[in-house]
Amino acid sequence: AIGEQLTCVFVDHGLLRLDEAAQVMETFAAHMHVKVVHVDASYGGASSDGSRSKPFTSIAPAIAKAAILSAPIVAVAAGSYVENLVIDRALQLVGRCPSKVSIKGLSGTIDATTLAVRANGVTVRGLAIEGPATAVMIQGAKDVMMSGG
């Protein structure tokens, strides 16, 4: 069973009804006793920690926190995320579907990689990934699964 291995990553894309984000966090954290990492690209404060009051503004720190919490599932809500990601621990990075969730790599260097997978046992599915040079690079990792759906 998943149990304590699950950490939910709630990506607040700004299209929820009034106070609905707080309800989602309350439902998972208080009522279902599930660890939740909050991502909200519109958060303007400092010292993000993945909580409801101080959400992360991108996916990368949510991946890092999920790995620390020994909860290897990062669910990404619909939206377009502009960032380069490195996965260096076994986890699942799951989007709703590639037509609704995209990760677009940052340019800056000729060898920029949008998603670098450096750990065994990584699953990536339901995401469209594109980059200015290399979209996905698997470096020394085994048992990596990539799927569009």
Side-chain angles (χ1 to χ4, degrees), residues 18-124:
L18 181 64
D19 298 326
E20 193 170 21
Q23 292 173 356
V24 169
M25 293 294 290
E26 177 70 15
T27 298
F28 279 101
H31 298 293
M32 298 175 73
H33 307 289
V34 174
K35 294 173 275 190
V36 182
V37 179
H38 192 183
V39 179
D40 182 353
S42 67
Y43 176 65
S47 303
S48 293
D49 62 9
S51 67
R52 170 74 180 120
S53 61
K54 296 179 180 182
F56 293 124
T57 57
S58 62
I59 299 168
I63 289 173
K65 183 154 187 178
I68 290 170
L69 294 173
S70 300
I73 300 171
V74 176
V76 183
S80 180
Y81 301 87
V82 180
E83 58 187 301
N84 295 335
L85 302 173
V86 175
I87 300 177
D88 57 4
R89 297 173 191 206
L91 59 79
Q92 294 183 50
L93 180 63
V94 182
R96 183 173 171 196
C97 73
S99 66
K100 300 200 182 281
V101 182
S102 67
I103 300 173
K104 298 179 182 183
L106 298 169
S107 57
T109 64
I110 197 158
D111 61 345
T113 301
T114 302
L115 175 63
V117 178
R118 299 178 181 158
N120 298 336
V122 172
T123 298
V124 177

